[in-house]
Amino acid sequence: MTIFFGIMSRRIPQIPLITGDFLYAVMIYLLVRIVFTDKKALYIIMTSLLICYSIEFLQLYQGNWMIELRKTLFGRYVLGQGFLWSDILAYTFGIFFAFSIEKIVLKYINRV
């Protein structure tokens, strides 16, 4: 669902582009949490941030093979098109949003 809404945020002009980056970070957080179920929250947060930031800074690299890869559907959605500081901010907020929701849900589950 997160992926679907992230893609739709790129297709619907009324939705700010930063929404897709926010949702991308939420997706990365969820994937890292699924893969590392036994790790502490700080590890999940830091790993998620590292992945998102690395992909964003990789956009500064403009080698021919990377430019060609970015022209593909995979490259466009996973690697992005260009570096933006606002994306770093969106990733940070997205990951901390996902972390907060996880804590709220776990607190609720543990109460029930």
Side-chain angles (χ1 to χ4, degrees), residues 36-107:
F36 300 106
T37 56
D38 60 332
K39 297 292 184 180
K40 294 188 181 286
L42 182 61
Y43 179 87
I44 303 301
I45 290 169
M46 296 308 290
T47 302
S48 301
L49 286 172
L50 179 66
I51 291 168
C52 289
Y53 291 176
S54 296
I55 291 171
E56 189 64 24
F57 280 102
L58 185 61
Q59 293 173 22
L60 294 171
Y61 176 69
Q62 296 296 317
N64 288 334
W65 69 274
M66 186 63 80
I67 291 170
E68 290 302 314
L69 181 58
R70 287 188 186 113
K71 290 179 183 177
T72 66
L73 183 65
F74 169 82
R76 191 169 43 257
Y77 283 129
V78 175
L79 300 175
Q81 297 296 311
F83 177 86
L84 293 171
W85 284 107
S86 60
D87 290 353
I88 297 290
L89 190 61
Y91 297 148
T92 304
F93 281 122
I95 287 167
F96 281 100
F97 173 80
F99 167 73
S100 299
I101 295 301
E102 177 187 18
K103 290 300 164 195
I104 291 168
V105 168
L106 289 176
K107 187 176 181 179

Side-chain angles (χ1 to χ4, degrees), residues 22-35:
F22 178 89
L23 292 171
Y24 183 82
V26 170
M27 177 196 68
I28 294 296
Y29 181 90
L30 294 172
L31 290 174
V32 172
R33 172 50 77 199
I34 288 168
V35 171

